[in-house]
Amino acid sequence: MRIEVSRDVFRLAQVFTISRGSRTEANVLTVTLTDGAHRGWGECVPYARYDETLDSVTVQIEALPADITRAALYDLLPAGAARNAVDCALWDLEAKRAGKRVWELAGLPAPGPEITAYTLSLDTPEKMREQAAEHAHRPLLKIKLGTPDDMPRLEAVRAGAPDARIIVDANEGWSAAVYSDLAPHLVRLGVQLVEQPLPAGEDDALIGLDRPVPVCADESCHDRASLPNLKGKYDVINIKLDKAGGLTEALALRSEGLALGYDVMVGCMVGSSLAMAPATLLAQGALITDLDGPLLLAEDRDSALIFDEKGVHPPQAGLWG
């Protein structure tokens, strides 16, 4: 089997800003596995927050043996972007070889569309109200926050989209005190979830804290090894393929998280339809699906995922799986 890694750049439809910075394009790595008769592929987004770069992840992937299997992969690479791209490519290759879809191989029910959140970039209250009004027809909006001046932004988004469900992503930008101060206003404005309000290394402050709006672990939850440290702090876990290190671990994390009583959110980095495709299987029945990456792009893969009023649809075989 041959393993190839390539870098792809997808222009964003507009500048995308979170509390940690802005970007105008999505830089991804595409892994392609070929055995002479079949091809499987996967995509990952190396993330600086987790000390990953395009170069470092490429080195990890190129060091793998040509006869790599999904089982062996977990002994060779840690959870992260590199393992994710290879794991998803292996799933795709196995499906092509078997002439079946990935969900059949994984013993999952046939997937259907899931309503996905649409993310509003961090901006001035006026700009965020404009964004909200433009996307007020969408049933679920996600607001990027995480600054000392978030209340005007919250009010502006609700004014722009009075009927949409709203979730908030603070990207580690708040403290326990800020969450507590904002909580009554979050309830008043109908916010249904707050992602990672505190820095991952400081989230012990959530223990015993009254949480009238459910709190979701994002940066604090990577794979199953993260779960013991979440007890008493979080109500929901955000599972992302790039954090978990592939669909194999993500499915196991979902199962174990649900068994422990957590609700599940399925999220994404900003990538193409190829990156989202495996996550649509993971998102079946999730409390929150946040797979809007392709909607933020000005360009996408061929056979791109379909987004319509029913949500994000599972991939066609021509894309993945």
Side-chain angles (χ1 to χ4, degrees):
M1 186 172 66
R2 184 176 180 184
I3 304 176
E4 296 180 322
V5 187
S6 62
R7 301 185 183 191
D8 292 300
V9 179
F10 296 92
R11 292 179 296 108
L12 301 188
Q14 61 186 32
V15 177
F16 184 74
T17 302
I18 66 173
S19 59
R20 284 191 286 268
S22 301
R23 70 183 78 175
T24 58
E25 57 189 23
N27 291 273
V28 310
L29 291 178
T30 305
V31 171
T32 305
L33 308 178
T34 52
D35 64 5
H38 303 94
R39 182 200 75 167
W41 65 343
E43 178 184 313
C44 69
V45 183
Y47 201 45
R49 170 65 178 80
Y50 307 130
D51 298 319
E52 295 175 333
T53 66
L54 293 167
D55 288 336
S56 70
V57 172
T58 298
V59 168
Q60 286 180 292
I61 296 169
E62 289 181 338
L64 293 171
D67 60 351
I68 189 68
T69 63
R70 282 194 294 113
L73 181 62
Y74 278 66
D75 293 326
L76 296 176
L77 288 178
R83 196 175 76 187
N84 173 41
V86 179
D87 182 75
C88 291
L90 284 166
W91 274 111
D92 190 34
L93 183 63
E94 290 170 30
K96 300 297 193 295
R97 286 171 170 169
K100 295 183 177 181
R101 302 306 304 270
V102 165
W103 55 83
E104 297 177 276
L105 299 181
L108 301 171
E114 291 282 340
I115 293 295
T116 181
Y118 181 85
T119 303
L120 304 183
S121 183
L122 180 66
D123 210 323
T124 64
E126 294 75 21
K127 291 290 187 181
M128 292 187 76
R129 177 170 179 160
E130 291 174 9
Q131 288 185 64
E134 180 182 353
H135 296 282
H137 64 284
R138 300 185 186 275
L140 178 60
L141 296 178
K142 174 175 170 174
I143 315 172
K144 288 290 189 180
L145 297 176
T147 78
D149 305 306
D150 282 337
M151 261 317 299
R153 294 183 171 93
L154 279 165
E155 299 278 9
V157 168
R158 177 49 83 199
D163 299 322
R165 295 165 58 207
I166 290 177
I167 60 176
V168 162
D169 186 358
N171 279 120
E172 304 181 278
W174 292 351
S175 65
V178 169
Y179 169 83
S180 295
D181 287 345
L182 290 179
H185 302 287
L186 298 175
V187 172
R188 172 175 58 83
L189 294 170
V191 173
Q192 298 184 354
L193 181 84
V194 175
E195 274 187 79
Q196 199 69 40
L198 275 62
E202 302 173 17
D203 60 1
D204 282 354
L206 293 171
I207 296 174
L209 192 71
D210 184 33
R211 299 192 297 270
V213 178
V215 175
C216 177
D218 184 1
E219 285 84 354
S220 290
C221 182
H222 291 245
D223 58 5
R224 283 172 290 174
S226 304
L227 290 173
N229 195 44
L230 305 182
K231 187 175 181 180
K233 305 176 187 178
Y234 296 97
D235 311 291
V236 185
I237 55 173
N238 187 352
I239 305 176
K240 294 178 180 176
L241 295 175
D242 277 314
K243 291 189 304 174
L247 180 62
T248 304
E249 174 63 21
L251 289 170
L253 173 58
R254 182 182 70 172
S255 179
E256 191 165 323
L258 289 170
L260 290 172
Y262 295 102
D263 281 317
V264 166
M265 174 178 181
V266 175
C268 65
M269 307 304 185
V270 181
S272 80
S273 283
L274 177 59
M276 309 301 129
T280 64
L281 310 189
L282 188 66
Q284 299 299 300
L287 176 70
I288 298 288
T289 295
D290 179 24
L291 298 177
D292 63 343
L295 296 177
L296 305 177
L297 303 180
E299 51 195 352
D300 199 356
R301 307 274 185 180
D302 293 336
S303 302
L305 291 177
I306 294 171
F307 292 82
D308 60 20
E309 69 280 355
K310 295 180 180 178
V312 54
H313 289 251
Q316 304 171 59
L319 175 65
W320 181 88

